[in-house]
Amino acid sequence: GSNDDDSANKETINDDNTAEQKNETKSKNAKQHMLSIANQLADAEDALDKTGNSSSVHERNANRLLQLFRANAGVYIKVGQHLANLDLLLPQEYLTRLSSL
């Protein structure tokens, strides 16, 4: 009776704790992965700045994004308009190009 219920409850609690630990581990791994990607991106941008080609690369990709947003229309136009206002995050080339949306 009662002992069986108690051990079933303990097993449920242990299963819940194990699931929480797995979720925490997944969350930590995802955060570490994102941090790793962000660091790689920062390193790539630093290397690009050293070559002096960053402006032309940004200009080319800003044009590509503009074409993509216009081709897909709808919500993509709205996303482009939003991006055009992110002057603290995006290079000037993107802001200039996307402001035409």
Side-chain angles (χ1 to χ4, degrees), residues 31-97:
K31 287 178 185 176
Q32 289 174 344
H33 182 67
M34 289 300 292
L35 182 59
S36 171
I37 290 171
N39 287 334
Q40 290 174 4
L41 178 60
D43 291 344
E45 285 192 356
D46 288 344
L48 186 60
D49 286 341
K50 288 179 185 174
T51 65
N53 293 330
S54 64
S55 183
S56 64
V57 170
H58 290 316
E59 187 68 34
R60 182 182 63 220
N61 288 314
N63 284 329
R64 292 169 72 187
L65 269 181
L66 180 63
Q67 291 171 4
L68 172 87
F69 291 150
R70 285 185 175 160
N72 288 298
V75 73
Y76 289 92
I77 298 289
K78 290 295 178 188
V79 169
Q81 290 170 343
H82 179 69
L83 289 174
N85 291 310
L86 295 177
D87 58 342
L88 295 176
L89 296 176
L90 293 176
Q92 186 60 44
E93 294 84 358
Y94 288 89
L95 304 177
T96 302
R97 276 291 163 206

Short mmCIF file of all heavy atoms in Angstrom, two decimals, residues 31-97:
data_model
loop_
_atom_site.label_atom_id
_atom_site.label_comp_id
_atom_site.label_asym_id
_atom_site.label_seq_id
_atom_site.Cartn_x
_atom_site.Cartn_y
_atom_site.Cartn_z
N LYS A 31 24.03 27.23 -25.25
CA LYS A 31 24.65 28.52 -24.97
C LYS A 31 26.13 28.51 -25.34
O LYS A 31 26.64 29.46 -25.93
CB LYS A 31 24.48 28.89 -23.50
CG LYS A 31 23.07 29.29 -23.13
CD LYS A 31 22.95 29.59 -21.66
CE LYS A 31 21.52 29.88 -21.27
NZ LYS A 31 21.36 30.10 -19.84
N GLN A 32 26.80 27.43 -25.00
CA GLN A 32 28.22 27.31 -25.34
C GLN A 32 28.42 27.29 -26.85
O GLN A 32 29.34 27.90 -27.38
CB GLN A 32 28.83 26.06 -24.71
CG GLN A 32 28.99 26.15 -23.22
CD GLN A 32 29.45 24.85 -22.60
OE1 GLN A 32 29.38 23.78 -23.22
NE2 GLN A 32 29.92 24.92 -21.35
N HIS A 33 27.52 26.61 -27.55
CA HIS A 33 27.61 26.54 -29.01
C HIS A 33 27.40 27.92 -29.62
O HIS A 33 28.14 28.34 -30.52
CB HIS A 33 26.58 25.55 -29.55
CG HIS A 33 26.61 25.37 -31.03
ND1 HIS A 33 27.68 24.79 -31.68
CD2 HIS A 33 25.72 25.72 -31.98
CE1 HIS A 33 27.45 24.79 -32.97
NE2 HIS A 33 26.26 25.35 -33.18
N MET A 34 26.40 28.65 -29.13
CA MET A 34 26.14 30.00 -29.64
C MET A 34 27.31 30.93 -29.34
O MET A 34 27.69 31.74 -30.18
CB MET A 34 24.85 30.56 -29.04
CG MET A 34 23.59 29.88 -29.56
SD MET A 34 23.39 30.03 -31.34
CE MET A 34 23.08 31.77 -31.49
N LEU A 35 27.89 30.82 -28.16
CA LEU A 35 29.05 31.64 -27.81
C LEU A 35 30.22 31.32 -28.73
O LEU A 35 30.92 32.22 -29.19
CB LEU A 35 29.42 31.42 -26.35
CG LEU A 35 30.58 32.24 -25.82
CD1 LEU A 35 30.29 33.73 -25.95
CD2 LEU A 35 30.84 31.90 -24.36
N SER A 36 30.41 30.05 -29.01
CA SER A 36 31.48 29.63 -29.91
C SER A 36 31.27 30.22 -31.31
O SER A 36 32.21 30.74 -31.92
CB SER A 36 31.52 28.11 -29.99
OG SER A 36 32.40 27.68 -30.99
N ILE A 37 30.05 30.18 -31.79
CA ILE A 37 29.74 30.74 -33.11
C ILE A 37 29.96 32.25 -33.11
O ILE A 37 30.52 32.80 -34.06
CB ILE A 37 28.30 30.38 -33.54
CG1 ILE A 37 28.22 28.89 -33.84
CG2 ILE A 37 27.85 31.20 -34.74
CD1 ILE A 37 26.82 28.39 -34.06
N ALA A 38 29.52 32.92 -32.04
CA ALA A 38 29.71 34.37 -31.95
C ALA A 38 31.19 34.72 -31.95
O ALA A 38 31.61 35.69 -32.60
CB ALA A 38 29.03 34.91 -30.69
N ASN A 39 32.00 33.94 -31.25
CA ASN A 39 33.44 34.18 -31.23
C ASN A 39 34.06 33.95 -32.61
O ASN A 39 34.93 34.71 -33.03
CB ASN A 39 34.12 33.29 -30.19
CG ASN A 39 33.84 33.74 -28.78
OD1 ASN A 39 33.58 34.92 -28.53
ND2 ASN A 39 33.89 32.82 -27.84
N GLN A 40 33.60 32.93 -33.31
CA GLN A 40 34.10 32.68 -34.67
C GLN A 40 33.73 33.83 -35.60
O GLN A 40 34.54 34.25 -36.42
CB GLN A 40 33.53 31.37 -35.21
CG GLN A 40 34.09 30.13 -34.54
CD GLN A 40 33.40 28.86 -35.00
OE1 GLN A 40 32.54 28.88 -35.89
NE2 GLN A 40 33.76 27.74 -34.39
N LEU A 41 32.52 34.33 -35.44
CA LEU A 41 32.09 35.45 -36.26
C LEU A 41 32.93 36.69 -35.96
O LEU A 41 33.36 37.39 -36.88
CB LEU A 41 30.60 35.76 -36.01
CG LEU A 41 30.02 36.94 -36.77
CD1 LEU A 41 30.14 36.73 -38.27
CD2 LEU A 41 28.57 37.16 -36.37
N ALA A 42 33.19 36.95 -34.70
CA ALA A 42 34.01 38.10 -34.32
C ALA A 42 35.42 37.96 -34.89
O ALA A 42 35.98 38.93 -35.41
CB ALA A 42 34.05 38.24 -32.80
N ASP A 43 35.97 36.76 -34.82
CA ASP A 43 37.30 36.52 -35.38
C ASP A 43 37.30 36.74 -36.89
O ASP A 43 38.24 37.33 -37.44
CB ASP A 43 37.78 35.09 -35.06
CG ASP A 43 38.08 34.89 -33.58
OD1 ASP A 43 38.21 35.89 -32.85
OD2 ASP A 43 38.16 33.71 -33.16
N ALA A 44 36.26 36.26 -37.56
CA ALA A 44 36.17 36.43 -39.02
C ALA A 44 36.05 37.90 -39.38
O ALA A 44 36.68 38.36 -40.35
CB ALA A 44 34.98 35.65 -39.56
N GLU A 45 35.26 38.65 -38.60
CA GLU A 45 35.13 40.08 -38.89
C GLU A 45 36.44 40.82 -38.63
O GLU A 45 36.80 41.72 -39.38
CB GLU A 45 34.00 40.69 -38.06
CG GLU A 45 32.64 40.31 -38.59
CD GLU A 45 31.52 41.11 -37.96
OE1 GLU A 45 31.77 41.92 -37.05
OE2 GLU A 45 30.38 40.92 -38.41
N ASP A 46 37.17 40.44 -37.59
CA ASP A 46 38.47 41.04 -37.34
C ASP A 46 39.43 40.77 -38.49
O ASP A 46 40.14 41.68 -38.95
CB ASP A 46 39.07 40.52 -36.03
CG ASP A 46 38.37 41.06 -34.80
OD1 ASP A 46 37.63 42.07 -34.92
OD2 ASP A 46 38.56 40.48 -33.71
N ALA A 47 39.44 39.53 -38.96
CA ALA A 47 40.31 39.18 -40.09
C ALA A 47 39.91 39.94 -41.35
O ALA A 47 40.76 40.43 -42.10
CB ALA A 47 40.25 37.67 -40.35
N LEU A 48 38.61 40.10 -41.55
CA LEU A 48 38.12 40.84 -42.71
C LEU A 48 38.51 42.31 -42.62
O LEU A 48 38.92 42.92 -43.61
CB LEU A 48 36.60 40.71 -42.80
CG LEU A 48 35.90 41.29 -44.01
CD1 LEU A 48 36.43 40.64 -45.29
CD2 LEU A 48 34.41 41.10 -43.89
N ASP A 49 38.41 42.88 -41.44
CA ASP A 49 38.80 44.28 -41.26
C ASP A 49 40.28 44.48 -41.54
O ASP A 49 40.68 45.50 -42.10
CB ASP A 49 38.48 44.75 -39.84
CG ASP A 49 36.99 44.99 -39.63
OD1 ASP A 49 36.26 45.13 -40.64
OD2 ASP A 49 36.56 45.02 -38.46
N LYS A 50 41.10 43.49 -41.18
CA LYS A 50 42.55 43.60 -41.42
C LYS A 50 42.88 43.58 -42.90
O LYS A 50 43.87 44.17 -43.32
CB LYS A 50 43.28 42.46 -40.70
CG LYS A 50 43.31 42.64 -39.20
CD LYS A 50 44.03 41.48 -38.52
CE LYS A 50 43.94 41.63 -37.01
NZ LYS A 50 44.51 40.47 -36.31
N THR A 51 42.05 42.90 -43.69
CA THR A 51 42.32 42.85 -45.14
C THR A 51 41.88 44.12 -45.84
O THR A 51 42.28 44.37 -46.96
CB THR A 51 41.61 41.65 -45.80
OG1 THR A 51 40.19 41.84 -45.69
CG2 THR A 51 42.02 40.33 -45.19
N GLY A 52 41.02 44.89 -45.19
CA GLY A 52 40.54 46.13 -45.78
C GLY A 52 39.41 45.95 -46.77
O GLY A 52 38.99 46.90 -47.42
N ASN A 53 38.90 44.74 -46.92
CA ASN A 53 37.84 44.46 -47.88
C ASN A 53 36.45 44.44 -47.25
O ASN A 53 35.48 44.11 -47.92
CB ASN A 53 38.07 43.10 -48.56
CG ASN A 53 39.29 43.11 -49.43
OD1 ASN A 53 39.65 44.14 -49.98
ND2 ASN A 53 39.94 41.97 -49.55
N SER A 54 36.35 44.80 -46.00
CA SER A 54 35.07 44.64 -45.31
C SER A 54 33.97 45.48 -45.94
O SER A 54 32.83 45.03 -46.05
CB SER A 54 35.20 44.96 -43.82
OG SER A 54 35.54 46.31 -43.63
N SER A 55 34.28 46.67 -46.38
CA SER A 55 33.25 47.53 -46.94
C SER A 55 32.66 46.92 -48.21
O SER A 55 31.44 46.91 -48.38
CB SER A 55 33.83 48.91 -47.24
OG SER A 55 32.81 49.74 -47.73
N SER A 56 33.49 46.40 -49.09
CA SER A 56 32.97 45.82 -50.33
C SER A 56 32.17 44.55 -50.05
O SER A 56 31.17 44.28 -50.71
CB SER A 56 34.10 45.53 -51.32
OG SER A 56 34.98 44.56 -50.81
N VAL A 57 32.61 43.77 -49.07
CA VAL A 57 31.89 42.55 -48.71
C VAL A 57 30.53 42.92 -48.11
O VAL A 57 29.50 42.34 -48.47
CB VAL A 57 32.71 41.70 -47.71
CG1 VAL A 57 31.86 40.57 -47.14
CG2 VAL A 57 33.95 41.15 -48.38
N HIS A 58 30.52 43.90 -47.23
CA HIS A 58 29.25 44.34 -46.63
C HIS A 58 28.32 44.91 -47.69
O HIS A 58 27.11 44.66 -47.68
CB HIS A 58 29.49 45.38 -45.54
CG HIS A 58 30.12 44.83 -44.30
ND1 HIS A 58 29.73 43.63 -43.73
CD2 HIS A 58 31.09 45.32 -43.50
CE1 HIS A 58 30.44 43.40 -42.64
NE2 HIS A 58 31.29 44.41 -42.48
N GLU A 59 28.87 45.68 -48.62
CA GLU A 59 28.05 46.28 -49.68
C GLU A 59 27.42 45.19 -50.55
O GLU A 59 26.23 45.24 -50.86
CB GLU A 59 28.90 47.22 -50.54
CG GLU A 59 28.12 48.00 -51.55
CD GLU A 59 27.19 49.02 -50.94
OE1 GLU A 59 27.53 49.60 -49.89
OE2 GLU A 59 26.11 49.24 -51.52
N ARG A 60 28.22 44.22 -50.94
CA ARG A 60 27.72 43.12 -51.78
C ARG A 60 26.62 42.34 -51.07
O ARG A 60 25.56 42.06 -51.63
CB ARG A 60 28.88 42.18 -52.15
CG ARG A 60 28.43 41.04 -53.08
CD ARG A 60 29.56 40.10 -53.41
NE ARG A 60 30.02 39.46 -52.18
CZ ARG A 60 31.29 39.23 -51.88
NH1 ARG A 60 32.24 39.57 -52.70
NH2 ARG A 60 31.62 38.65 -50.74
N ASN A 61 26.84 42.04 -49.80
CA ASN A 61 25.84 41.26 -49.07
C ASN A 61 24.61 42.08 -48.72
O ASN A 61 23.50 41.53 -48.65
CB ASN A 61 26.47 40.61 -47.83
CG ASN A 61 27.39 39.48 -48.23
OD1 ASN A 61 27.04 38.65 -49.06
ND2 ASN A 61 28.58 39.46 -47.65
N ALA A 62 24.78 43.36 -48.51
CA ALA A 62 23.62 44.22 -48.28
C ALA A 62 22.75 44.25 -49.53
O ALA A 62 21.51 44.20 -49.44
CB ALA A 62 24.07 45.63 -47.90
N ASN A 63 23.37 44.30 -50.70
CA ASN A 63 22.62 44.25 -51.96
C ASN A 63 21.88 42.93 -52.11
O ASN A 63 20.73 42.89 -52.55
CB ASN A 63 23.54 44.47 -53.16
CG ASN A 63 23.93 45.91 -53.33
OD1 ASN A 63 23.16 46.81 -53.01
ND2 ASN A 63 25.13 46.13 -53.85
N ARG A 64 22.54 41.85 -51.74
CA ARG A 64 21.92 40.53 -51.82
C ARG A 64 20.71 40.45 -50.91
O ARG A 64 19.67 39.92 -51.29
CB ARG A 64 22.94 39.45 -51.47
CG ARG A 64 24.05 39.32 -52.51
CD ARG A 64 25.18 38.45 -52.05
NE ARG A 64 24.78 37.05 -52.03
CZ ARG A 64 25.54 36.09 -51.54
NH1 ARG A 64 26.71 36.37 -51.01
NH2 ARG A 64 25.13 34.85 -51.56
N LEU A 65 20.84 40.98 -49.70
CA LEU A 65 19.71 40.98 -48.77
C LEU A 65 18.56 41.82 -49.30
O LEU A 65 17.40 41.43 -49.20
CB LEU A 65 20.15 41.51 -47.39
CG LEU A 65 20.63 40.51 -46.38
CD1 LEU A 65 21.00 41.20 -45.08
CD2 LEU A 65 19.61 39.43 -46.12
N LEU A 66 18.89 42.98 -49.83
CA LEU A 66 17.86 43.86 -50.38
C LEU A 66 17.08 43.13 -51.48
O LEU A 66 15.85 43.16 -51.50
CB LEU A 66 18.49 45.14 -50.92
CG LEU A 66 17.52 46.15 -51.53
CD1 LEU A 66 16.54 46.67 -50.49
CD2 LEU A 66 18.31 47.30 -52.15
N GLN A 67 17.79 42.48 -52.38
CA GLN A 67 17.13 41.72 -53.45
C GLN A 67 16.27 40.60 -52.89
O GLN A 67 15.15 40.37 -53.36
CB GLN A 67 18.16 41.16 -54.42
CG GLN A 67 18.86 42.22 -55.25
CD GLN A 67 20.03 41.66 -56.05
OE1 GLN A 67 20.28 40.47 -56.04
NE2 GLN A 67 20.74 42.54 -56.73
N LEU A 68 16.77 39.92 -51.88
CA LEU A 68 16.03 38.83 -51.24
C LEU A 68 14.74 39.35 -50.62
O LEU A 68 13.66 38.78 -50.82
CB LEU A 68 16.89 38.16 -50.17
CG LEU A 68 16.17 37.14 -49.29
CD1 LEU A 68 16.22 35.78 -49.95
CD2 LEU A 68 16.79 37.08 -47.93
N PHE A 69 14.84 40.43 -49.87
CA PHE A 69 13.67 41.00 -49.21
C PHE A 69 12.63 41.45 -50.24
O PHE A 69 11.44 41.22 -50.07
CB PHE A 69 14.05 42.16 -48.30
CG PHE A 69 14.82 41.75 -47.07
CD1 PHE A 69 15.74 42.62 -46.51
CD2 PHE A 69 14.64 40.51 -46.48
CE1 PHE A 69 16.45 42.26 -45.37
CE2 PHE A 69 15.34 40.14 -45.35
CZ PHE A 69 16.25 41.01 -44.79
N ARG A 70 13.09 42.09 -51.30
CA ARG A 70 12.14 42.56 -52.33
C ARG A 70 11.50 41.40 -53.08
O ARG A 70 10.31 41.43 -53.39
CB ARG A 70 12.85 43.49 -53.31
CG ARG A 70 13.11 44.86 -52.71
CD ARG A 70 13.70 45.79 -53.73
NE ARG A 70 13.84 47.14 -53.15
CZ ARG A 70 14.64 48.05 -53.63
NH1 ARG A 70 15.40 47.79 -54.69
NH2 ARG A 70 14.70 49.24 -53.06
N ALA A 71 12.27 40.36 -53.36
CA ALA A 71 11.75 39.21 -54.09
C ALA A 71 10.69 38.46 -53.27
O ALA A 71 9.70 37.98 -53.82
CB ALA A 71 12.88 38.25 -54.47
N ASN A 72 10.90 38.38 -51.97
CA ASN A 72 9.97 37.64 -51.12
C ASN A 72 8.83 38.49 -50.60
O ASN A 72 7.82 37.97 -50.14
CB ASN A 72 10.72 36.98 -49.97
CG ASN A 72 11.56 35.83 -50.45
OD1 ASN A 72 11.03 34.85 -50.97
ND2 ASN A 72 12.87 35.93 -50.32
N ALA A 73 9.00 39.80 -50.64
CA ALA A 73 7.97 40.78 -50.26
C ALA A 73 7.36 40.47 -48.88
O ALA A 73 7.97 39.81 -48.07
CB ALA A 73 6.90 40.87 -51.32
N GLY A 74 6.17 41.01 -48.64
CA GLY A 74 5.44 40.75 -47.41
C GLY A 74 6.23 41.02 -46.15
O GLY A 74 6.79 42.11 -45.97
N VAL A 75 6.30 40.02 -45.31
CA VAL A 75 6.96 40.16 -44.02
C VAL A 75 8.46 40.42 -44.18
O VAL A 75 9.08 41.04 -43.32
CB VAL A 75 6.68 38.93 -43.12
CG1 VAL A 75 7.45 37.72 -43.59
CG2 VAL A 75 6.98 39.24 -41.67
N TYR A 76 9.04 39.98 -45.29
CA TYR A 76 10.46 40.22 -45.52
C TYR A 76 10.76 41.71 -45.65
O TYR A 76 11.81 42.17 -45.22
CB TYR A 76 10.95 39.45 -46.75
CG TYR A 76 11.01 37.96 -46.51
CD1 TYR A 76 9.93 37.15 -46.82
CD2 TYR A 76 12.14 37.38 -45.95
CE1 TYR A 76 9.98 35.79 -46.58
CE2 TYR A 76 12.20 36.02 -45.71
CZ TYR A 76 11.11 35.22 -46.03
OH TYR A 76 11.16 33.89 -45.79
N ILE A 77 9.84 42.44 -46.26
CA ILE A 77 10.01 43.89 -46.36
C ILE A 77 10.03 44.49 -44.95
O ILE A 77 10.86 45.34 -44.64
CB ILE A 77 8.88 44.52 -47.20
CG1 ILE A 77 8.90 43.99 -48.62
CG2 ILE A 77 8.94 46.04 -47.14
CD1 ILE A 77 10.05 44.47 -49.47
N LYS A 78 9.12 44.01 -44.10
CA LYS A 78 9.06 44.52 -42.72
C LYS A 78 10.34 44.18 -41.95
O LYS A 78 10.85 44.99 -41.18
CB LYS A 78 7.83 43.96 -41.99
CG LYS A 78 6.53 44.51 -42.50
CD LYS A 78 6.47 45.99 -42.23
CE LYS A 78 5.20 46.62 -42.76
NZ LYS A 78 5.22 48.06 -42.67
N VAL A 79 10.84 42.99 -42.15
CA VAL A 79 12.10 42.60 -41.49
C VAL A 79 13.24 43.49 -41.97
O VAL A 79 14.04 43.98 -41.17
CB VAL A 79 12.43 41.10 -41.75
CG1 VAL A 79 13.83 40.76 -41.30
CG2 VAL A 79 11.41 40.21 -41.05
N GLY A 80 13.29 43.74 -43.26
CA GLY A 80 14.32 44.63 -43.81
C GLY A 80 14.21 46.04 -43.25
O GLY A 80 15.22 46.67 -42.93
N GLN A 81 12.98 46.54 -43.11
CA GLN A 81 12.78 47.86 -42.53
C GLN A 81 13.26 47.90 -41.09
O GLN A 81 13.88 48.87 -40.65
CB GLN A 81 11.30 48.26 -42.62
CG GLN A 81 10.83 48.53 -44.01
CD GLN A 81 9.32 48.67 -44.11
OE1 GLN A 81 8.58 48.27 -43.22
NE2 GLN A 81 8.86 49.23 -45.22
N HIS A 82 12.99 46.83 -40.37
CA HIS A 82 13.44 46.76 -38.98
C HIS A 82 14.98 46.73 -38.92
O HIS A 82 15.59 47.44 -38.12
CB HIS A 82 12.85 45.53 -38.29
CG HIS A 82 13.27 45.37 -36.88
ND1 HIS A 82 12.88 46.22 -35.88
CD2 HIS A 82 14.08 44.46 -36.29
CE1 HIS A 82 13.42 45.84 -34.74
NE2 HIS A 82 14.16 44.78 -34.96
N LEU A 83 15.58 45.92 -39.77
CA LEU A 83 17.04 45.82 -39.79
C LEU A 83 17.68 47.16 -40.13
O LEU A 83 18.75 47.50 -39.61
CB LEU A 83 17.49 44.75 -40.78
CG LEU A 83 17.23 43.31 -40.38
CD1 LEU A 83 17.61 42.37 -41.52
CD2 LEU A 83 17.98 42.95 -39.11
N ALA A 84 17.04 47.93 -41.00
CA ALA A 84 17.58 49.22 -41.41
C ALA A 84 17.67 50.19 -40.23
O ALA A 84 18.39 51.19 -40.31
CB ALA A 84 16.73 49.82 -42.52
N ASN A 85 16.97 49.91 -39.15
CA ASN A 85 16.99 50.77 -37.98
C ASN A 85 17.91 50.27 -36.87
O ASN A 85 17.96 50.87 -35.79
CB ASN A 85 15.57 50.95 -37.43
CG ASN A 85 14.73 51.76 -38.37
OD1 ASN A 85 15.14 52.84 -38.79
ND2 ASN A 85 13.57 51.25 -38.72
N LEU A 86 18.63 49.20 -37.12
CA LEU A 86 19.52 48.63 -36.11
C LEU A 86 20.94 49.18 -36.26
O LEU A 86 21.89 48.45 -36.47
CB LEU A 86 19.52 47.10 -36.20
CG LEU A 86 18.20 46.41 -35.87
CD1 LEU A 86 18.32 44.92 -36.07
CD2 LEU A 86 17.76 46.73 -34.46
N ASP A 87 21.06 50.50 -36.14
CA ASP A 87 22.34 51.14 -36.38
C ASP A 87 23.43 50.77 -35.37
O ASP A 87 24.60 50.96 -35.64
CB ASP A 87 22.18 52.65 -36.47
CG ASP A 87 21.57 53.25 -35.22
OD1 ASP A 87 20.96 52.51 -34.44
OD2 ASP A 87 21.70 54.47 -35.04
N LEU A 88 23.05 50.22 -34.25
CA LEU A 88 24.07 49.81 -33.27
C LEU A 88 24.63 48.43 -33.58
O LEU A 88 25.68 48.06 -33.06
CB LEU A 88 23.48 49.81 -31.86
CG LEU A 88 23.06 51.17 -31.33
CD1 LEU A 88 22.40 51.01 -29.97
CD2 LEU A 88 24.26 52.09 -31.21
N LEU A 89 23.94 47.67 -34.44
CA LEU A 89 24.35 46.29 -34.69
C LEU A 89 24.90 46.04 -36.09
O LEU A 89 25.78 45.21 -36.27
CB LEU A 89 23.16 45.34 -34.48
CG LEU A 89 22.62 45.27 -33.06
CD1 LEU A 89 21.39 44.38 -33.02
CD2 LEU A 89 23.67 44.77 -32.10
N LEU A 90 24.37 46.74 -37.07
CA LEU A 90 24.73 46.45 -38.46
C LEU A 90 25.69 47.48 -39.03
O LEU A 90 25.61 48.66 -38.68
CB LEU A 90 23.47 46.41 -39.32
CG LEU A 90 22.50 45.27 -39.06
CD1 LEU A 90 21.27 45.42 -39.93
CD2 LEU A 90 23.16 43.93 -39.32
N PRO A 91 26.56 47.05 -39.93
CA PRO A 91 27.44 48.00 -40.62
C PRO A 91 26.62 49.00 -41.44
O PRO A 91 25.51 48.71 -41.88
CB PRO A 91 28.28 47.11 -41.53
CG PRO A 91 28.20 45.75 -40.93
CD PRO A 91 26.85 45.67 -40.30
N GLN A 92 27.19 50.15 -41.66
CA GLN A 92 26.52 51.24 -42.37
C GLN A 92 26.03 50.83 -43.75
O GLN A 92 24.98 51.29 -44.21
CB GLN A 92 27.45 52.46 -42.47
CG GLN A 92 26.79 53.68 -43.06
CD GLN A 92 25.59 54.17 -42.24
OE1 GLN A 92 25.66 54.22 -41.03
NE2 GLN A 92 24.51 54.51 -42.90
N GLU A 93 26.77 49.97 -44.42
CA GLU A 93 26.37 49.55 -45.77
C GLU A 93 24.98 48.90 -45.78
O GLU A 93 24.18 49.12 -46.69
CB GLU A 93 27.40 48.55 -46.35
CG GLU A 93 28.76 49.14 -46.62
CD GLU A 93 29.68 49.17 -45.39
OE1 GLU A 93 29.24 48.76 -44.30
OE2 GLU A 93 30.83 49.61 -45.54
N TYR A 94 24.69 48.11 -44.74
CA TYR A 94 23.38 47.47 -44.64
C TYR A 94 22.30 48.52 -44.37
O TYR A 94 21.21 48.46 -44.95
CB TYR A 94 23.36 46.42 -43.52
CG TYR A 94 24.15 45.19 -43.87
CD1 TYR A 94 25.50 45.09 -43.57
CD2 TYR A 94 23.54 44.10 -44.49
CE1 TYR A 94 26.22 43.96 -43.88
CE2 TYR A 94 24.25 42.96 -44.81
CZ TYR A 94 25.60 42.89 -44.50
OH TYR A 94 26.31 41.78 -44.82
N LEU A 95 22.60 49.45 -43.48
CA LEU A 95 21.61 50.47 -43.12
C LEU A 95 21.25 51.31 -44.34
O LEU A 95 20.07 51.60 -44.58
CB LEU A 95 22.16 51.36 -42.01
CG LEU A 95 22.61 50.64 -40.72
CD1 LEU A 95 23.20 51.63 -39.75
CD2 LEU A 95 21.48 49.87 -40.11
N THR A 96 22.25 51.67 -45.12
CA THR A 96 22.02 52.50 -46.31
C THR A 96 21.17 51.74 -47.33
O THR A 96 20.20 52.28 -47.85
CB THR A 96 23.36 52.91 -46.93
OG1 THR A 96 24.14 53.60 -45.95
CG2 THR A 96 23.16 53.78 -48.15
N ARG A 97 21.55 50.50 -47.60
CA ARG A 97 20.83 49.71 -48.61
C ARG A 97 19.40 49.41 -48.16
O ARG A 97 18.46 49.58 -48.92
CB ARG A 97 21.53 48.37 -48.84
CG ARG A 97 22.61 48.43 -49.80
CD ARG A 97 22.06 48.68 -51.17
NE ARG A 97 23.16 49.11 -51.98
CZ ARG A 97 23.07 49.86 -53.04
NH1 ARG A 97 21.90 50.26 -53.47
NH2 ARG A 97 24.12 50.23 -53.70
#
